[in-house]
Amino acid sequence: MQLNDQLVTEYKSESQRARIMTEYWVGSHIACPRCQGTLTPLSNNARGADFSCANCTQRFQLKSYRGKSKSKLIGAEYRTTLKTHLSEDAPDLLVLRFQRDLTVNEVIHYRKDDICEHHILPRKPLGPNARRAGWQGCMLDLSSIPGTMIFPLIH
């Protein structure tokens, strides 16, 4: 299955293009991994989540990337990510991997209960000359989190 690049013709940023295409694809092709309900996109300003299940109300954060399988993914701001994933209403994580030709390879579901503080790794803060000096991102270490592949479907 392919991502739809017709959705992003006016965008120049590769990360914006990927975000829009992958969020649209998940909303169109993936059911809630917990209850098979419909995943509804949240507003672009929703913190820490991209979808909510219309049936069970579980929230989901989508991370996507192009290329080979990875055990670590770039996350957002460290403290915000930590706070989000350790909160009562933490989102589950969906990781979508696609290729240069926009073919979707896989979507893996990670349950929020399996994501712990030691899976969220701080990155070095940006230096004093950076536009966002002091800002600290994070990496999500997926290597020891049990994930369930939900696409392609396993029979």
Side-chain angles (χ1 to χ4, degrees):
M1 297 186 118
Q2 299 282 127
L3 297 173
N4 183 352
D5 62 352
Q6 296 304 307
L7 300 168
V8 294
T9 55
E10 72 269 14
Y11 293 90
K12 291 187 182 357
S13 164
E14 286 300 316
S15 61
Q16 284 287 69
R17 292 169 57 90
R19 180 187 62 79
I20 291 165
M21 288 187 295
T22 57
E23 285 180 2
Y24 179 82
W25 191 92
V26 167
S28 301
H29 294 92
I30 300 294
C32 175
R34 289 182 174 248
C35 74
Q36 298 305 303
T38 302
L39 292 181
T40 305
L42 298 173
S43 71
N44 285 339
N45 296 330
R47 267 201 178 219
D50 301 301
F51 296 93
S52 179
C53 177
N55 187 43
C56 71
T57 70
Q58 176 59 45
R59 295 176 339 127
F60 296 87
Q61 180 181 40
L62 175 64
K63 291 288 184 187
S64 59
Y65 66 95
R66 184 178 70 203
K68 297 179 181 180
S69 292
K70 297 179 181 181
S71 63
K72 291 183 182 174
L73 299 178
I74 295 175
E77 196 274 331
Y78 174 65
R79 286 177 190 80
T80 302
T81 301
L82 199 58
K83 183 178 173 184
T84 298
H85 281 285
L86 299 179
S87 70
E88 291 277 328
D89 65 338
D92 280 8
L93 183 62
L94 297 174
V95 177
L96 182 150
R97 183 172 67 89
F98 64 97
Q99 294 302 316
R100 182 173 296 281
D101 68 358
L102 304 182
T103 300
V104 176
N105 291 94
E106 63 190 12
V107 178
I108 300 175
H109 172 230
Y110 297 91
R111 294 176 65 94
K112 67 180 183 179
D113 301 328
D114 295 329
I115 301 172
C116 303
E117 185 173 353
H118 68 272
H119 296 117
I120 301 166
L121 309 173
R123 294 171 68 192
K124 183 178 175 183
L126 295 179
N129 296 328
R131 185 170 48 97
R132 296 184 296 167
W135 185 88
Q136 184 176 27
C138 70
M139 297 290 288
L140 300 173
D141 182 1
L142 306 176
S143 63
S144 63
I145 306 173
T148 304
M149 185 169 304
I150 57 174
F151 179 86
L153 296 176
I154 301 172
H155 300 285

